[in-house]
PDB file of all heavy atoms in Angstrom:
ATOM      1  N   ALA G 128     -32.769 -13.582  53.675  1.00 98.00           N
ATOM      2  CA  ALA G 128     -31.426 -13.481  54.259  1.00 98.00           C
ATOM      3  C   ALA G 128     -31.227 -14.555  55.320  1.00 98.00           C
ATOM      4  O   ALA G 128     -30.176 -15.215  55.382  1.00 98.00           O
ATOM      5  CB  ALA G 128     -31.217 -12.095  54.860  1.00 98.00           C
ATOM      6  N   SER G 129     -32.244 -14.774  56.149  1.00 98.00           N
ATOM      7  CA  SER G 129     -32.153 -15.801  57.189  1.00 98.00           C
ATOM      8  C   SER G 129     -32.059 -17.200  56.579  1.00 98.00           C
ATOM      9  O   SER G 129     -31.291 -18.044  57.048  1.00 98.00           O
ATOM     10  CB  SER G 129     -33.365 -15.716  58.126  1.00 98.00           C
ATOM     11  OG  SER G 129     -33.326 -14.494  58.828  1.00 98.00           O
ATOM     12  N   LEU G 130     -32.827 -17.446  55.530  1.00 98.00           N
ATOM     13  CA  LEU G 130     -32.783 -18.748  54.861  1.00 98.00           C
ATOM     14  C   LEU G 130     -31.447 -18.970  54.154  1.00 98.00           C
ATOM     15  O   LEU G 130     -30.931 -20.089  54.130  1.00 98.00           O
ATOM     16  CB  LEU G 130     -33.948 -18.888  53.891  1.00 98.00           C
ATOM     17  CG  LEU G 130     -35.322 -18.995  54.579  1.00 98.00           C
ATOM     18  CD1 LEU G 130     -36.441 -18.897  53.544  1.00 98.00           C
ATOM     19  CD2 LEU G 130     -35.425 -20.268  55.393  1.00 98.00           C
ATOM     20  N   ALA G 131     -30.878 -17.909  53.595  1.00 98.00           N
ATOM     21  CA  ALA G 131     -29.554 -18.029  52.967  1.00 98.00           C
ATOM     22  C   ALA G 131     -28.514 -18.415  54.015  1.00 98.00           C
ATOM     23  O   ALA G 131     -27.673 -19.290  53.774  1.00 98.00           O
ATOM     24  CB  ALA G 131     -29.165 -16.724  52.277  1.00 98.00           C
ATOM     25  N   LEU G 132     -28.577 -17.785  55.182  1.00 98.00           N
ATOM     26  CA  LEU G 132     -27.636 -18.134  56.251  1.00 98.00           C
ATOM     27  C   LEU G 132     -27.848 -19.571  56.706  1.00 98.00           C
ATOM     28  O   LEU G 132     -26.888 -20.323  56.880  1.00 98.00           O
ATOM     29  CB  LEU G 132     -27.775 -17.174  57.434  1.00 98.00           C
ATOM     30  CG  LEU G 132     -26.905 -17.518  58.645  1.00 98.00           C
ATOM     31  CD1 LEU G 132     -25.435 -17.567  58.294  1.00 98.00           C
ATOM     32  CD2 LEU G 132     -27.171 -16.525  59.775  1.00 98.00           C
ATOM     33  N   ARG G 133     -29.090 -19.973  56.890  1.00 98.00           N
ATOM     34  CA  ARG G 133     -29.363 -21.348  57.317  1.00 98.00           C
ATOM     35  C   ARG G 133     -28.811 -22.348  56.296  1.00 98.00           C
ATOM     36  O   ARG G 133     -28.193 -23.342  56.663  1.00 98.00           O
ATOM     37  CB  ARG G 133     -30.867 -21.563  57.506  1.00 98.00           C
ATOM     38  CG  ARG G 133     -31.174 -22.954  58.060  1.00 98.00           C
ATOM     39  CD  ARG G 133     -32.632 -23.163  58.378  1.00 98.00           C
ATOM     40  NE  ARG G 133     -33.168 -22.071  59.153  1.00 98.00           N
ATOM     41  CZ  ARG G 133     -34.370 -21.516  58.922  1.00 98.00           C
ATOM     42  NH1 ARG G 133     -35.144 -21.952  57.947  1.00 98.00           N
ATOM     43  NH2 ARG G 133     -34.807 -20.534  59.671  1.00 98.00           N
ATOM     44  N   THR G 134     -29.025 -22.063  55.022  1.00 98.00           N
ATOM     45  CA  THR G 134     -28.497 -22.939  53.973  1.00 98.00           C
ATOM     46  C   THR G 134     -26.980 -22.996  54.045  1.00 98.00           C
ATOM     47  O   THR G 134     -26.388 -24.082  53.971  1.00 98.00           O
ATOM     48  CB  THR G 134     -28.955 -22.450  52.582  1.00 98.00           C
ATOM     49  OG1 THR G 134     -30.376 -22.503  52.530  1.00 98.00           O
ATOM     50  CG2 THR G 134     -28.356 -23.278  51.467  1.00 98.00           C
ATOM     51  N   ALA G 135     -26.348 -21.849  54.175  1.00 98.00           N
ATOM     52  CA  ALA G 135     -24.886 -21.802  54.249  1.00 98.00           C
ATOM     53  C   ALA G 135     -24.370 -22.622  55.424  1.00 98.00           C
ATOM     54  O   ALA G 135     -23.397 -23.381  55.290  1.00 98.00           O
ATOM     55  CB  ALA G 135     -24.409 -20.356  54.361  1.00 98.00           C
ATOM     56  N   GLU G 136     -25.013 -22.498  56.557  1.00 97.00           N
ATOM     57  CA  GLU G 136     -24.572 -23.240  57.742  1.00 97.00           C
ATOM     58  C   GLU G 136     -24.793 -24.742  57.563  1.00 97.00           C
ATOM     59  O   GLU G 136     -23.907 -25.547  57.866  1.00 97.00           O
ATOM     60  CB  GLU G 136     -25.300 -22.731  58.984  1.00 97.00           C
ATOM     61  CG  GLU G 136     -24.860 -21.329  59.368  1.00 97.00           C
ATOM     62  CD  GLU G 136     -25.676 -20.724  60.489  1.00 97.00           C
ATOM     63  OE1 GLU G 136     -26.841 -21.153  60.720  1.00 97.00           O
ATOM     64  OE2 GLU G 136     -25.153 -19.794  61.141  1.00 97.00           O
ATOM     65  N   GLN G 137     -25.952 -25.128  57.060  1.00 97.00           N
ATOM     66  CA  GLN G 137     -26.260 -26.547  56.883  1.00 97.00           C
ATOM     67  C   GLN G 137     -25.348 -27.209  55.850  1.00 97.00           C
ATOM     68  O   GLN G 137     -25.025 -28.393  55.970  1.00 97.00           O
ATOM     69  CB  GLN G 137     -27.715 -26.731  56.462  1.00 97.00           C
ATOM     70  CG  GLN G 137     -28.699 -26.415  57.555  1.00 97.00           C
ATOM     71  CD  GLN G 137     -30.139 -26.413  57.074  1.00 97.00           C
ATOM     72  OE1 GLN G 137     -30.429 -26.379  55.877  1.00 97.00           O
ATOM     73  NE2 GLN G 137     -31.062 -26.434  58.021  1.00 97.00           N
ATOM     74  N   GLN G 138     -24.932 -26.443  54.846  1.00 97.00           N
ATOM     75  CA  GLN G 138     -24.118 -26.989  53.761  1.00 97.00           C
ATOM     76  C   GLN G 138     -22.619 -26.747  53.953  1.00 97.00           C
ATOM     77  O   GLN G 138     -21.834 -27.004  53.052  1.00 97.00           O
ATOM     78  CB  GLN G 138     -24.574 -26.405  52.419  1.00 97.00           C
ATOM     79  CG  GLN G 138     -25.986 -26.791  52.045  1.00 97.00           C
ATOM     80  CD  GLN G 138     -26.120 -28.283  51.819  1.00 97.00           C
ATOM     81  OE1 GLN G 138     -25.267 -28.917  51.213  1.00 97.00           O
ATOM     82  NE2 GLN G 138     -27.199 -28.860  52.324  1.00 97.00           N
ATOM     83  N   HIS G 139     -22.229 -26.245  55.120  1.00 96.00           N
ATOM     84  CA  HIS G 139     -20.819 -26.025  55.454  1.00 96.00           C
ATOM     85  C   HIS G 139     -20.141 -25.027  54.508  1.00 96.00           C
ATOM     86  O   HIS G 139     -18.994 -25.222  54.108  1.00 96.00           O
ATOM     87  CB  HIS G 139     -20.051 -27.355  55.478  1.00 96.00           C
ATOM     88  CG  HIS G 139     -20.727 -28.392  56.310  1.00 96.00           C
ATOM     89  ND1 HIS G 139     -20.762 -28.345  57.686  1.00 96.00           N
ATOM     90  CD2 HIS G 139     -21.445 -29.488  55.963  1.00 96.00           C
ATOM     91  CE1 HIS G 139     -21.460 -29.363  58.142  1.00 96.00           C
ATOM     92  NE2 HIS G 139     -21.891 -30.075  57.127  1.00 96.00           N
ATOM     93  N   CYS G 140     -20.857 -23.966  54.164  1.00 98.00           N
ATOM     94  CA  CYS G 140     -20.285 -22.922  53.301  1.00 98.00           C
ATOM     95  C   CYS G 140     -19.402 -22.011  54.145  1.00 98.00           C
ATOM     96  O   CYS G 140     -19.827 -21.516  55.187  1.00 98.00           O
ATOM     97  CB  CYS G 140     -21.388 -22.107  52.628  1.00 98.00           C
ATOM     98  SG  CYS G 140     -22.410 -23.081  51.494  1.00 98.00           S
ATOM     99  N   VAL G 141     -18.193 -21.790  53.672  1.00 97.00           N
ATOM    100  CA  VAL G 141     -17.258 -20.928  54.389  1.00 97.00           C
ATOM    101  C   VAL G 141     -17.143 -19.554  53.753  1.00 97.00           C
ATOM    102  O   VAL G 141     -16.537 -18.653  54.320  1.00 97.00           O
ATOM    103  CB  VAL G 141     -15.863 -21.577  54.519  1.00 97.00           C
ATOM    104  CG1 VAL G 141     -15.945 -22.822  55.390  1.00 97.00           C
ATOM    105  CG2 VAL G 141     -15.275 -21.903  53.152  1.00 97.00           C
ATOM    106  N   LEU G 142     -17.722 -19.412  52.573  1.00 98.00           N
ATOM    107  CA  LEU G 142     -17.778 -18.112  51.925  1.00 98.00           C
ATOM    108  C   LEU G 142     -18.932 -18.103  50.944  1.00 98.00           C
ATOM    109  O   LEU G 142     -19.512 -19.138  50.642  1.00 98.00           O
ATOM    110  CB  LEU G 142     -16.456 -17.736  51.254  1.00 98.00           C
ATOM    111  CG  LEU G 142     -15.912 -18.601  50.133  1.00 98.00           C
ATOM    112  CD1 LEU G 142     -16.361 -18.070  48.784  1.00 98.00           C
ATOM    113  CD2 LEU G 142     -14.405 -18.597  50.201  1.00 98.00           C
ATOM    114  N   ALA G 143     -19.249 -16.898  50.488  1.00 98.00           N
ATOM    115  CA  ALA G 143     -20.350 -16.729  49.538  1.00 98.00           C
ATOM    116  C   ALA G 143     -19.897 -15.841  48.398  1.00 98.00           C
ATOM    117  O   ALA G 143     -19.105 -14.915  48.593  1.00 98.00           O
ATOM    118  CB  ALA G 143     -21.559 -16.104  50.234  1.00 98.00           C
ATOM    119  N   VAL G 144     -20.399 -16.135  47.201  1.00 98.00           N
ATOM    120  CA  VAL G 144     -20.218 -15.276  46.035  1.00 98.00           C
ATOM    121  C   VAL G 144     -21.625 -14.880  45.615  1.00 98.00           C
ATOM    122  O   VAL G 144     -22.417 -15.714  45.176  1.00 98.00           O
ATOM    123  CB  VAL G 144     -19.474 -15.987  44.889  1.00 98.00           C
ATOM    124  CG1 VAL G 144     -19.427 -15.085  43.656  1.00 98.00           C
ATOM    125  CG2 VAL G 144     -18.069 -16.381  45.323  1.00 98.00           C
ATOM    126  N   LEU G 145     -21.930 -13.604  45.793  1.00 98.00           N
ATOM    127  CA  LEU G 145     -23.279 -13.098  45.566  1.00 98.00           C
ATOM    128  C   LEU G 145     -23.265 -12.003  44.507  1.00 98.00           C
ATOM    129  O   LEU G 145     -22.225 -11.404  44.231  1.00 98.00           O
ATOM    130  CB  LEU G 145     -23.856 -12.561  46.878  1.00 98.00           C
ATOM    131  CG  LEU G 145     -23.873 -13.535  48.060  1.00 98.00           C
ATOM    132  CD1 LEU G 145     -24.426 -12.852  49.310  1.00 98.00           C
ATOM    133  CD2 LEU G 145     -24.665 -14.793  47.734  1.00 98.00           C
ATOM    134  N   ALA G 146     -24.431 -11.725  43.942  1.00 98.00           N
ATOM    135  CA  ALA G 146     -24.557 -10.755  42.849  1.00 98.00           C
ATOM    136  C   ALA G 146     -24.319  -9.327  43.336  1.00 98.00           C
ATOM    137  O   ALA G 146     -24.983  -8.850  44.258  1.00 98.00           O
ATOM    138  CB  ALA G 146     -25.938 -10.868  42.207  1.00 98.00           C
ATOM    139  N   ALA G 147     -23.385  -8.667  42.710  1.00 98.00           N
ATOM    140  CA  ALA G 147     -23.034  -7.286  43.062  1.00 98.00           C
ATOM    141  C   ALA G 147     -24.234  -6.354  42.936  1.00 98.00           C
ATOM    142  O   ALA G 147     -25.081  -6.517  42.066  1.00 98.00           O
ATOM    143  CB  ALA G 147     -21.902  -6.793  42.154  1.00 98.00           C
ATOM    144  N   ARG G 148     -24.302  -5.400  43.842  1.00 98.00           N
ATOM    145  CA  ARG G 148     -25.250  -4.280  43.855  1.00 98.00           C
ATOM    146  C   ARG G 148     -26.693  -4.657  44.170  1.00 98.00           C
ATOM    147  O   ARG G 148     -27.549  -3.807  44.263  1.00 98.00           O
ATOM    148  CB  ARG G 148     -25.166  -3.477  42.556  1.00 98.00           C
ATOM    149  CG  ARG G 148     -23.805  -2.847  42.334  1.00 98.00           C
ATOM    150  CD  ARG G 148     -23.698  -2.064  41.045  1.00 98.00           C
ATOM    151  NE  ARG G 148     -23.928  -2.855  39.866  1.00 98.00           N
ATOM    152  CZ  ARG G 148     -23.025  -3.633  39.257  1.00 98.00           C
ATOM    153  NH1 ARG G 148     -21.826  -3.719  39.741  1.00 98.00           N
ATOM    154  NH2 ARG G 148     -23.335  -4.309  38.172  1.00 98.00           N
TER     155      ARG G 148
END
Side-chain angles (χ1 to χ4, degrees):
S129 294
L130 291 171
L132 176 58
R133 185 175 312 137
T134 298
E136 291 173 337
Q137 290 172 345
Q138 296 295 318
H139 310 288
C140 296
V141 295
L142 61 93
V144 175
L145 305 178
R148 298 179 300 278

